[in-house]
Amino acid sequence: MSKMWHKNRLQQKKHSIIAVMSVLFMACVLARPVGAAEVPLKNASFMPLWGSQAQFAGYYVALDKGIYARHGIDLKILKAGPGHTPTQALEEGAADFAVVWLTTALLHRAAGKELVNLAQIIQRSALMLVSKKTAGIKTIADMDGKKVGLWEGDVSIPPRTLFANHRIKVREVRQSHTVNLFLRGGIDVTSAMWFNEYHTILDSGIDPDELNVIFLRDWGMNFIEDGIYAMEKTLRNDPALAAAFVNASLEGWRYAFEHPDEALDIVIKYMREDHLPANRMHQKWMLDRMRDLMMPVNPQGSFGSLTEQDYEAVGRAMQRNGLIESYPDYSTFSWKSDAQEK
């Protein structure tokens, strides 16, 4: 009698558990929106300024961690670098989104290309002019007549504008993607980004105390660099896709800053896949500086947003120096997603 009672009791418990599980399963099924499983991801393409490195960690992290997929995007990160220009890729429809400098975007807008700023990644200019103390260059005026390394193209706009504002003429020397010419004494001043070339100089064995460093932003030239851009047509055709891309990208950046070691692992993985030299300490320096540069400095600013004050300052400076005749209204040029309000 006792054995039979226990056997029946166990069967009742078993049936009860199965019944509860069935109810929970049906609840999950009913809670899921109809057709949710069948909704396909939207294809999108993105081009950084150049090859994979921690300067673009947020995008690689968002791709690797499935953040873009969770936001409904099947993203392809396109090859960048020599022969692969982000603005050209946007204008030709080869890329949906790209990283572009603000000065470059304004030049293209002036030429009739309708680029729109979706998010402003860098909030403080990282561009520097670096010289050795032995050269005796402490101010911009001291560069008059000196050999100064400048990169080709639009990236030379900020230093050239600075020189024009101070009415000095430097001896421009074409600078490659390395600082070797500066290290060998071939030029007096080199262009450098705080998160990249400056650390390369330090890594070569030169002590910071041996250098004179001029941040352009400290001389009234906060020509903020990396922003996320799209063509107005892309934004108009699918604003939801643009919002999803920005939201996922900013989430990727937040995750990278909260999990720096994991972010570096991800970046270095992509660098090796692209057959690029990957120095972890250099990439760590880059990621740390990107965190510094991305944090809002203006009380009116927010993470990933282009402030009207910064936009107007760059537009006026470029107009004053004859680089552009006019620039569009801030509300036309800048677009915000929900993630930038947080």
Side-chain angles (χ1 to χ4, degrees):
M1 182 72 176
S2 178
K3 289 183 179 180
M4 182 63 69
W5 185 86
H6 284 295
K7 183 177 181 180
N8 291 337
R9 186 64 175 167
L10 289 172
Q11 287 179 340
Q12 288 174 0
K13 286 185 178 180
K14 181 179 179 181
H15 291 314
S16 297
I17 291 171
I18 292 173
V20 170
M21 291 179 67
S22 299
V23 170
L24 290 174
F25 174 76
M26 289 304 297
C28 291
V29 170
L30 293 173
R32 180 183 299 175
V34 177
E38 291 76 26
V39 175
L41 299 180
K42 292 182 179 179
N43 294 322
S45 54
F46 165 71
M47 182 179 285
L49 274 171
W50 35 76
S52 49
Q53 57 183 22
Q55 180 185 354
F56 313 112
Y59 314 108
Y60 289 102
V61 167
L63 179 62
D64 198 79
K65 299 296 294 182
I67 296 174
Y68 285 118
R70 183 154 45 78
H71 283 262
I73 301 174
D74 182 5
L75 186 72
K76 180 179 181 181
I77 298 183
L78 304 174
K79 181 179 180 180
H84 303 275
T85 308
T87 49
Q88 184 178 354
L90 288 175
E91 292 162 11
E92 292 178 351
D96 298 302
F97 309 103
V99 173
V100 179
W101 282 20
L102 177 56
T103 47
T104 300
L106 285 173
L107 276 181
H108 284 259
R109 282 295 300 236
K113 309 298 184 181
E114 296 183 331
L115 272 71
V116 178
N117 179 288
L118 305 183
Q120 184 58 44
I121 300 304
I122 286 183
Q123 299 290 316
R124 295 184 298 149
S125 174
L127 190 53
M128 316 162 72
L129 294 171
V130 182
S131 61
K132 296 174 183 176
K133 284 187 176 179
T134 52
I137 299 172
K138 297 181 180 179
T139 67
I140 297 297
D142 294 334
M143 295 183 190
D144 194 26
K146 300 293 186 180
K147 289 187 287 186
V148 178
L150 297 180
W151 290 304
E152 284 189 306
D154 302 340
V155 294
S156 65
I157 290 174
R160 283 175 175 160
T161 304
L162 181 64
F163 301 146
N165 287 348
H166 288 265
R167 296 182 174 83
I168 67 169
K169 291 185 177 181
V170 304
R171 296 165 61 188
E172 293 187 9
V173 178
R174 177 183 173 184
Q175 182 169 317
S176 69
H177 62 281
T178 74
V179 290
N180 290 342
L181 192 61
F182 172 73
L183 295 176
R184 295 169 182 165
I187 52 178
D188 303 300
V189 182
T190 187
S191 298
M193 302 302 288
W194 185 32
F195 55 76
N196 195 357
E197 289 82 11
Y198 177 65
H199 185 255
T200 300
I201 293 171
L202 300 183
D203 208 34
S204 73
I206 297 179
D207 193 89
D209 293 338
E210 299 177 71
L211 299 170
N212 280 325
V213 171
I214 291 177
F215 278 96
L216 270 65
R217 64 177 185 247
D218 294 337
W219 291 74
M221 299 294 296
N222 189 37
F223 280 26
I224 44 181
E225 294 98 15
D226 299 15
I228 298 175
Y229 287 81
M231 299 302 294
E232 191 174 282
K233 179 181 178 181
T234 302
L235 178 59
R236 185 172 58 248
N237 289 344
D238 198 341
L241 175 61
F245 179 78
V246 171
N247 293 352
S249 298
L250 295 182
E251 185 178 335
W253 275 113
R254 291 187 182 99
Y255 188 96
F257 295 146
E258 292 168 2
H259 307 84
D261 289 333
E262 184 181 357
L264 289 173
D265 290 340
I266 291 170
V267 168
I268 289 172
K269 180 185 74 171
Y270 282 99
M271 292 181 73
R272 287 174 176 161
E273 287 179 2
D274 293 338
H275 306 291
L276 296 173
N279 180 309
R280 190 178 183 89
M281 289 306 298
H282 183 61
Q283 295 305 312
K284 183 180 185 305
W285 170 278
M286 190 176 292
L287 183 62
D288 289 343
R289 300 293 76 74
M290 287 299 293
R291 182 193 294 108
D292 297 334
L293 294 166
M294 287 181 65
M295 293 301 106
V297 292
N298 191 317
Q300 300 174 351
S302 56
F303 189 70
S305 291
L306 173 64
T307 68
E308 187 169 2
Q309 179 181 347
D310 286 337
Y311 173 70
E312 289 289 342
V314 175
R316 284 195 301 268
M318 292 181 68
Q319 189 178 44
R320 186 170 56 248
N321 284 276
L323 296 168
I324 54 176
E325 291 186 3
S326 62
Y327 54 94
D329 183 76
Y330 170 77
S331 60
T332 302
F333 183 83
S334 179
W335 177 84
K336 289 185 179 181
S337 75
D338 294 340
Q340 294 155 282
E341 304 295 341
K342 297 176 182 178

